[in-house]
Short mmCIF file of all heavy atoms in Angstrom, two decimals:
data_model
loop_
_atom_site.label_atom_id
_atom_site.label_comp_id
_atom_site.label_asym_id
_atom_site.label_seq_id
_atom_site.Cartn_x
_atom_site.Cartn_y
_atom_site.Cartn_z
N ALA K 246 0.47 6.83 -2.83
CA ALA K 246 1.38 7.77 -3.60
C ALA K 246 1.71 8.98 -2.78
O ALA K 246 2.86 9.35 -2.71
CB ALA K 246 0.62 8.23 -4.96
N VAL K 280 9.60 8.48 -8.48
CA VAL K 280 9.13 8.43 -9.85
C VAL K 280 7.82 7.70 -9.99
O VAL K 280 6.85 8.15 -10.56
CB VAL K 280 10.28 7.70 -10.81
CG1 VAL K 280 9.69 7.56 -12.18
CG2 VAL K 280 11.49 8.61 -10.81
N TRP K 281 7.80 6.49 -9.41
CA TRP K 281 6.47 5.75 -9.38
C TRP K 281 5.43 6.36 -8.65
O TRP K 281 4.33 6.42 -9.14
CB TRP K 281 6.84 4.33 -8.79
CG TRP K 281 7.80 3.45 -9.61
CD1 TRP K 281 9.17 3.42 -9.39
CD2 TRP K 281 7.50 2.72 -10.78
NE1 TRP K 281 9.70 2.56 -10.32
CE2 TRP K 281 8.80 2.16 -11.17
CE3 TRP K 281 6.30 2.40 -11.50
CZ2 TRP K 281 8.81 1.29 -12.28
CZ3 TRP K 281 6.42 1.61 -12.65
CH2 TRP K 281 7.64 1.03 -13.03
N SER K 282 5.68 6.89 -7.54
CA SER K 282 4.66 7.57 -6.70
C SER K 282 4.05 8.75 -7.31
O SER K 282 2.84 8.97 -7.38
CB SER K 282 5.21 7.88 -5.28
OG SER K 282 5.67 6.77 -4.60
N ARG K 283 4.98 9.60 -7.94
CA ARG K 283 4.48 10.83 -8.63
C ARG K 283 3.64 10.46 -9.81
O ARG K 283 2.54 11.08 -10.02
CB ARG K 283 5.70 11.57 -8.99
CG ARG K 283 5.25 13.13 -9.43
CD ARG K 283 6.42 13.80 -10.11
NE ARG K 283 7.47 14.07 -9.12
CZ ARG K 283 8.76 13.53 -9.07
NH1 ARG K 283 9.10 12.65 -10.00
NH2 ARG K 283 9.67 13.94 -8.22
N HIS K 284 4.04 9.46 -10.58
CA HIS K 284 3.25 9.07 -11.77
C HIS K 284 1.98 8.48 -11.39
O HIS K 284 0.87 8.76 -12.07
CB HIS K 284 4.03 8.09 -12.69
CG HIS K 284 3.46 7.87 -13.98
ND1 HIS K 284 3.19 8.93 -14.87
CD2 HIS K 284 2.92 6.76 -14.57
CE1 HIS K 284 2.63 8.41 -15.98
NE2 HIS K 284 2.44 7.19 -15.77
N ALA K 285 1.91 7.75 -10.32
CA ALA K 285 0.65 7.15 -9.83
C ALA K 285 -0.33 8.34 -9.48
O ALA K 285 -1.52 8.18 -9.79
CB ALA K 285 0.87 6.21 -8.57
N LEU K 286 0.14 9.27 -8.91
CA LEU K 286 -0.66 10.47 -8.39
C LEU K 286 -1.29 11.11 -9.66
O LEU K 286 -2.35 11.52 -9.64
CB LEU K 286 0.18 11.41 -7.62
CG LEU K 286 -0.52 12.44 -6.74
CD1 LEU K 286 -1.46 11.72 -5.73
CD2 LEU K 286 0.42 13.32 -5.98
N HIS K 287 -0.52 11.30 -10.64
CA HIS K 287 -0.97 11.86 -11.93
C HIS K 287 -2.12 11.00 -12.51
O HIS K 287 -3.20 11.56 -12.96
CB HIS K 287 0.15 12.01 -12.91
CG HIS K 287 1.04 13.18 -12.85
ND1 HIS K 287 0.60 14.47 -13.25
CD2 HIS K 287 2.23 13.37 -12.40
CE1 HIS K 287 1.55 15.37 -13.06
NE2 HIS K 287 2.59 14.76 -12.46
N MET K 288 -1.97 9.69 -12.43
CA MET K 288 -3.02 8.80 -12.96
C MET K 288 -4.30 8.81 -12.19
O MET K 288 -5.36 8.79 -12.78
CB MET K 288 -2.45 7.39 -13.15
CG MET K 288 -1.31 7.30 -14.04
SD MET K 288 -0.69 5.58 -14.38
CE MET K 288 -2.02 4.95 -15.34
N VAL K 289 -4.09 8.92 -10.83
CA VAL K 289 -5.31 9.00 -9.94
C VAL K 289 -6.08 10.29 -10.30
O VAL K 289 -7.31 10.33 -10.46
CB VAL K 289 -4.88 9.03 -8.49
CG1 VAL K 289 -6.01 9.51 -7.55
CG2 VAL K 289 -4.33 7.69 -8.11
N ALA K 290 -5.32 11.41 -10.50
CA ALA K 290 -5.93 12.74 -10.72
C ALA K 290 -6.78 12.64 -12.12
O ALA K 290 -7.79 13.29 -12.22
CB ALA K 290 -4.91 13.81 -10.81
N LYS K 291 -6.25 11.96 -13.07
CA LYS K 291 -6.79 11.94 -14.38
C LYS K 291 -7.94 10.93 -14.50
O LYS K 291 -8.92 11.23 -15.20
CB LYS K 291 -5.68 11.55 -15.38
CG LYS K 291 -6.27 11.61 -16.90
CD LYS K 291 -5.03 11.44 -17.82
CE LYS K 291 -5.54 11.54 -19.26
NZ LYS K 291 -4.44 11.33 -20.30
N TYR K 292 -7.84 9.82 -13.80
CA TYR K 292 -8.74 8.60 -14.17
C TYR K 292 -9.62 8.23 -13.04
O TYR K 292 -10.68 7.52 -13.27
CB TYR K 292 -7.93 7.42 -14.58
CG TYR K 292 -7.31 7.62 -15.91
CD1 TYR K 292 -5.95 7.78 -16.02
CD2 TYR K 292 -8.02 7.65 -17.09
CE1 TYR K 292 -5.28 7.88 -17.22
CE2 TYR K 292 -7.33 7.75 -18.29
CZ TYR K 292 -6.03 7.96 -18.38
OH TYR K 292 -5.33 8.16 -19.56
N MET K 293 -9.33 8.57 -11.74
CA MET K 293 -10.11 7.93 -10.64
C MET K 293 -11.57 8.19 -10.75
O MET K 293 -12.39 7.35 -10.54
CB MET K 293 -9.47 8.29 -9.32
CG MET K 293 -10.16 7.55 -8.21
SD MET K 293 -9.45 7.68 -6.59
CE MET K 293 -10.81 7.14 -5.45
N MET K 309 -6.41 2.92 -13.61
CA MET K 309 -6.34 2.90 -12.20
C MET K 309 -5.73 1.46 -11.82
O MET K 309 -4.99 1.41 -10.76
CB MET K 309 -7.80 2.94 -11.56
CG MET K 309 -8.27 4.47 -11.59
SD MET K 309 -7.22 5.56 -10.78
CE MET K 309 -7.19 4.96 -9.06
N ALA K 312 -2.18 2.32 -12.16
CA ALA K 312 -1.76 3.17 -11.07
C ALA K 312 -1.57 2.52 -9.76
O ALA K 312 -0.63 2.88 -8.95
CB ALA K 312 -2.91 4.29 -10.96
N GLU K 381 3.41 20.35 -4.67
CA GLU K 381 3.34 19.62 -5.98
C GLU K 381 2.20 18.62 -6.01
O GLU K 381 1.43 18.55 -7.06
CB GLU K 381 4.68 18.95 -6.29
CG GLU K 381 4.76 18.27 -7.58
CD GLU K 381 6.05 17.39 -7.71
OE1 GLU K 381 6.89 17.34 -6.75
OE2 GLU K 381 6.24 16.84 -8.70
N ALA K 382 1.95 17.94 -4.93
CA ALA K 382 0.86 16.93 -4.93
C ALA K 382 -0.48 17.66 -5.13
O ALA K 382 -1.32 17.17 -5.84
CB ALA K 382 0.89 16.25 -3.60
N GLU K 384 -0.96 20.51 -6.64
CA GLU K 384 -1.16 20.86 -8.11
C GLU K 384 -1.55 19.75 -8.98
O GLU K 384 -2.33 19.93 -9.86
CB GLU K 384 0.17 21.55 -8.53
CG GLU K 384 0.12 22.14 -9.95
CD GLU K 384 1.39 22.89 -10.27
OE1 GLU K 384 2.43 22.63 -9.65
OE2 GLU K 384 1.28 23.83 -11.09
N ILE K 385 -0.94 18.63 -8.79
CA ILE K 385 -1.31 17.40 -9.62
C ILE K 385 -2.70 17.04 -9.47
O ILE K 385 -3.39 16.67 -10.46
CB ILE K 385 -0.36 16.23 -9.15
CG1 ILE K 385 1.16 16.43 -9.59
CG2 ILE K 385 -0.85 14.87 -9.86
CD1 ILE K 385 2.07 15.45 -9.06
N LEU K 386 -3.25 17.21 -8.19
CA LEU K 386 -4.63 16.84 -7.98
C LEU K 386 -5.60 17.99 -8.37
O LEU K 386 -6.81 17.88 -8.20
CB LEU K 386 -4.86 16.54 -6.44
CG LEU K 386 -4.16 15.30 -6.01
CD1 LEU K 386 -4.26 15.14 -4.52
CD2 LEU K 386 -4.74 14.02 -6.77
#
Side-chain angles (χ1 to χ4, degrees):
V280 173
W281 294 97
S282 301
R283 190 189 295 112
H284 190 60
L286 197 59
H287 277 284
M288 296 185 75
V289 168
K291 184 175 182 179
Y292 292 108
M293 182 171 167
M309 284 302 297
E381 183 183 4
E384 185 173 25
I385 292 171
L386 292 173

